[in-house]
Amino acid sequence: MLDSTGKVLYEYDFNYIDEFGDNIYITSKRTEEGYMQGLINIKGEFVIPAKYIDIEKLNEGFARFTQGTEFGEQTGFMDKNGKEVIPPIFDDAKDFSEGFAPVEINDKWGFVDKRGE
C-alpha cells in the first residue's frame, strides 16, 4: 500500500487486492483449499478470514459471496462489515437493485429482499 507520494505504507503478501468499501478490501490468499478470498483492513490485517471462493464489491450495502457448502458452491450476501446476513443457500445470485436481488435455486429464478425473504 502506497501513499500519494509513492512511499510504502504497508507490504502485503496477497494474490491481489480490490476495493470492498469503507477502507475494507477484498483479497485472495493461498490456503489448504487453494486460493480463497477474505476481507482485510488498510493495514493488511484480516477482518474476515480467507474462506470464501468469491466475494463481490458492495452494492446497495450488500455483497455477494460464494462459499463451498455440503451442497456444492452456494451464494449468499454479506453486509458492509462482512457479516453474513443472507446465508449461502442460492445456486446463483446477482447484485441488489432497487432493494431486490435475483436468485436461483434448483434452476428456478426469483427475487430476495434485503431481509432474505
Side-chain angles (χ1 to χ4, degrees), residues 17-57:
I17 298 175
D18 198 2
E19 184 177 0
F20 180 74
D22 295 336
N23 289 321
I24 302 293
Y25 302 88
I26 304 166
T27 192
S28 178
K29 185 172 176 113
R30 182 181 293 278
T31 69
E32 291 179 7
E33 294 83 26
Y35 279 100
M36 301 296 279
Q37 294 184 350
L39 299 177
I40 60 172
N41 62 20
I42 195 140
K43 293 181 180 180
E45 302 162 335
F46 276 95
V47 294
I48 300 296
K51 64 179 185 174
Y52 296 97
I53 295 166
D54 187 46
I55 302 174
E56 297 293 327
K57 293 180 183 180

Side-chain angles (χ1 to χ4, degrees), residues 51-54 63-78 83-93 103-105 116:
K51 64 179 185 174
Y52 296 97
I53 295 166
D54 187 46
R64 286 181 288 131
F65 68 87
T66 303
Q67 191 171 26
T69 71
E70 64 220 52
F71 304 107
E73 292 183 8
Q74 299 281 282
T75 300
F77 293 88
M78 62 178 62
K83 179 182 176 195
E84 294 181 17
V85 292
I86 300 175
I89 60 171
F90 306 109
D91 299 325
D92 196 4
V103 293
E104 178 190 19
I105 296 178

Side-chain angles (χ1 to χ4, degrees), residues 60 96-101 114:
E60 290 194 17
F96 274 91
S97 176
E98 298 182 23
F100 294 93
K114 292 182 177 183

